[in-house]
Amino acid sequence: MSLLVPGALALLSLAIPLLVLYMLRSRRQRFEVPSVMLWSGEEEFVSAAVPWQRLKITAALLLQLLALAAFAFLLSRPFFEEETLLGPHTVMIIDTSGSMGMENRLDTAKARAIELSAEASDAQLISVVSGGPSPRVLAAFSRDPEGLRTAIESLSVTGGSDELGEALRLARGLATPDRPTTILFLGDGGIPGSVTEPVTNALHVPFDDTGDNVAITGFGAGAGAGETRMFLEVTSYSNKPESVTAELEVDGLSVGSVDVDLDPGQRSQKAIAVEAGPGQVVTVALRDHVDSLPLDDSSAAVLSGSAEVSVAVLGEGSRFLDALLGSISGVRDAAGLPPDVVIIDRDDASIVDRPAWIIAPETPPPGVEVIGVLEFPVITYQRSGEPILEGIDLADLAIAEAQIVNAPGWLSLLRAGEIPLILLGEVDGQRAIYLTFDLTRSNLPVQVSFPILGSRLIDWLGGSRVTTASTAPAGTPIPLVTPQGSTARVTLPDGSRRDLVEGLLTFNAATLPGVYRVEYVAEDGTIVPGPVAARQFVASESTGETRTIAVVDEGTQAAETSQLLREWAPFIAALLLAIVLLEWWVAYGRPMPARRGEGEAAT
Amino acid sequence: MLLEPELRSRLDRLALASRGRIRGAWGGRHRSRRLGESLDFADYREYFPGDDYRRIDYNLWARLGVVLIRLFEAEDELPLRVLVDTSQSMDFGDKFPTAQRLSAMVAYLALASGERVQVASVPGEDSPRIQGPWVRHTGSWPVVESFLESLQPGGGTDLRAAANHVAAATGLRGASVLVSDLLTEGWEQAIDLLGVSGSGVVLQVISPLELDPDLTGDLTLRDVETRQEVPVSVSDGAVDRYRERVRGFIDEVANRSRRSGLDHVLAVAQPGVLDQTLAALVSSGVAR
């Protein structure tokens, strides 16, 4: 305990005159009594010449000394330092990514945030940022605990990954120049790479409860042999063997189920043929299964009808490519005509005049430089949230040899360390996909997900975004084509409805996994059905892995913000009042016989 | 008016009782130490010339051949002396008015019983002894009343001298009533002397404030009689000890009185004290 005004303790010196007053011989009053005979034995020696007397320790004296000490102590403003995460201005980023649904991490984080907001003094400001896939500011510079509680309690687990970088940018935008701002990130750490680390001037409050989980990590549609095939991937993150039954429904009607047995950590992939066509919604759910993360126990996909695309293969080609193109609905051979999409397989790609899928070219396209060869690359990074790779896990991809390319401006979807393996970009204004490895010298063509990946690549190159827009990771906006004079209404997976303002081009709040149904409401009340979109739980969130975000300069900022000075004044004031009341009661309030008669003052 | 008519009418129905034989100057209703002319047979004795031959018991003379005369009890009046303490210590609260009224009540009771009564003040070192005349019958009540009303408290007390004066009175063995707070030296000898002189009652008059003082703090207490000053710190403990001493003092007076053959009645100077005292006198057999 320390004192803000130590000099006030000098008031304790007033105890000296108080004691002197008590030691001064009091002026005795003289009373006449019929006889002093019966008072014999009560006489006390009194020396009239000495004005002092022996100090008598009475309850009143002790209480007065105590009151004086309390008063001096009160004026000296004692305080104690309380450890707190709060600073003069604190921005709390609360992670709402899918992994925060594991073992109620988000509820724990929300409770901690509410607790912190309740601890804040009147001089402390608090802002709240939702740190999910669509970061947004929920409260700014607030001193209202109830308002903060309401804002925090409105948060719910999403199905997407956190955009911690974007959330941090929002938080730094809230920084106040007149007072230090502390950024608290309340979450499980998100996925690596979601923010440039180390993060400066921030504190990470981790929430890392984990539990057994079985997740649907991939669910997509493909076509082949005149039927629709659903690609299903189920992954166990449990420490024990799991047996689950995945039940599929088409537009709400059950169409079958598949049993999956999983060892700890095992991933199982299934291809299931269903009778469904474009526009229909296929859902899958783990039946009668309960785990620590319920949100990833179901998934949905909207079957899309792709436009017909003509494809030509240049270069060596392979039977895998042929089989792929043959399995994709709507893809036909260009047959000597100018193709919509060209696949350049181990050939010269120096001229790209149309969308191209470039595979380990002899000559790279403009803007790409091959600077070496990497043997047996190990997959270390797969871009999260990328619609093309959604539901596809390429961790087991084995490659014999890959080009080391320098491709500025290209987006890496898959990397081995810093070496990109699959890139997206543009060449002379044409979309291009660059695989730095030979398909025939990898196991990609024999992966169950290869048809899905190939279908999405052709779709993307062909300019169709229907597939990715209709089935995408949670958090992906839903494009709207609202007719003139109409407004959009969205039915969310939880059954609630949102009426959107006129003129919106996208619905950005598609953060919950599930099926979103859009309808357009005309001015006359006519309702026109709109697109149906499925948003899937981001598979990387199902792992429930946690990590600690590296921070720097924590000490510098924390030294100023983590110590909160709290004064004892209210407690001491209450104690002082109690002492004064007790002293008054001792002096005047105690039931004692009143002094009677008029006394004659003694000298 | 010291006694209300209602109280006097009650006293008219009571009589003063005596314990044992008395020796009075005049005939009365109480058994005397001497033989006399009553109808109560007392004894025989041999006849001597000059005796009243009407008292000769002729039956015995005829049967025994011895001339005996019959002797009879004598009945005397009960001379009552009422000693009123008029010292300064009695001038506290309602003590002295209470003492006046108690004295009046006892005196009237004696007059109503046909006794002779004398009221006197207790002398002090610096105050003379004042005594009223011996009076008899209720017709003399105004004399007694005016005498009592004329008394004023003041000065010191010499209880021993007053009691000695009573004991030294020759030829009379009656009763005495001492009305005093007894807060003075020599009260023990005074009670002893009164006991020697005959029966009697000690009416100890105490103020309620003497029983339970409401003093507190550092005080100098001054004795109104002796002017002696005592510095005391009147704390709760001191008051408790004082109360114990008062109770002990009253018990000591009562025991001393009992040993001297006197009755003791504590009269607290507060409303109703006359009724309480009269009831105590009746219950102790002093009045009946």
Side-chain angles (χ1 to χ4, degrees), chain A residues 163 191 381-387 389-390 392 411-415 540:
Chain A
E163 293 291 342
I191 58 174
Y381 170 78
Q382 176 176 327
R383 179 175 169 78
S384 168
E386 172 54 46
L389 295 181
E390 178 56 31
I392 297 174
L411 178 66
S412 295
L413 299 186
L414 195 70
R415 289 204 303 254
S540 59

Side-chain angles (χ1 to χ4, degrees), chain A residues 327-587:
Chain A
S327 68
I328 299 175
S329 172
V331 172
R332 61 178 173 80
D333 189 356
L337 297 175
D340 296 325
V341 173
V342 63
I343 299 177
I344 304 173
D345 185 13
R346 292 164 285 174
D347 203 353
D348 183 4
S350 58
I351 299 175
V352 176
D353 57 355
R354 63 195 66 238
W357 179 0
I358 305 168
I359 302 172
E362 292 178 347
T363 305
V368 179
E369 180 186 6
V370 178
I371 57 178
V373 174
L374 178 65
E375 292 184 343
F376 304 111
V378 177
I379 309 300
T380 59
Y381 170 78
Q382 176 176 327
R383 179 175 169 78
S384 168
E386 172 54 46
I388 290 177
L389 295 181
E390 178 56 31
I392 297 174
D393 187 0
L394 298 176
D396 296 334
L397 178 62
I399 301 171
E401 184 180 273
Q403 298 172 343
I404 301 175
V405 298
N406 181 17
W410 289 63
L411 178 66
S412 295
L413 299 186
L414 195 70
R415 289 204 303 254
E418 294 300 321
I419 310 300
L421 300 175
I422 300 178
L423 300 101
L424 261 64
E426 288 188 353
V427 179
D428 295 335
Q430 301 294 332
R431 291 181 176 181
I433 296 171
Y434 195 125
L435 265 63
T436 62
F437 56 90
D438 182 359
L439 279 179
T440 60
R441 300 192 66 192
S442 73
N443 66 353
L444 179 58
V446 297
Q447 300 263 342
V448 176
S449 57
F450 180 63
I452 307 296
L453 175 63
S455 173
R456 289 178 183 172
L457 291 177
I458 297 298
D459 272 351
W460 186 74
L461 289 171
S464 171
R465 302 297 297 177
V466 177
T467 302
T468 54
S470 58
T471 302
T476 304
I478 299 173
L480 303 173
V481 187
T482 311
Q484 188 70 26
S486 299
T487 57
R489 174 186 295 164
V490 181
T491 303
L492 275 62
D494 59 4
S496 61
R497 286 185 171 182
R498 299 268 184 89
D499 288 314
L500 308 182
V501 296
E502 192 174 351
L504 279 184
L505 297 179
T506 56
F507 176 67
N508 296 326
T511 55
L512 279 175
V515 179
Y516 292 78
R517 299 180 186 278
V518 181
E519 52 192 17
Y520 302 110
V521 183
E523 288 180 347
D524 59 357
T526 306
I527 297 176
V528 178
V532 177
R535 291 294 176 262
Q536 297 178 336
F537 193 89
V538 176
S540 59
E541 298 292 324
S542 295
T543 64
E545 289 179 353
T546 61
R547 68 188 185 92
T548 302
I549 299 175
V551 297
V552 294
D553 293 338
E554 182 182 358
T556 306
Q557 190 72 0
E560 297 175 2
T561 59
S562 64
Q563 300 293 328
L564 182 66
L565 303 186
R566 289 197 185 274
E567 292 196 42
W568 289 96
F571 307 103
I572 299 176
L575 176 66
L576 177 60
L577 180 62
I579 294 172
V580 169
L581 289 176
L582 183 60
E583 197 277 336
W584 177 85
W585 182 78
V586 167

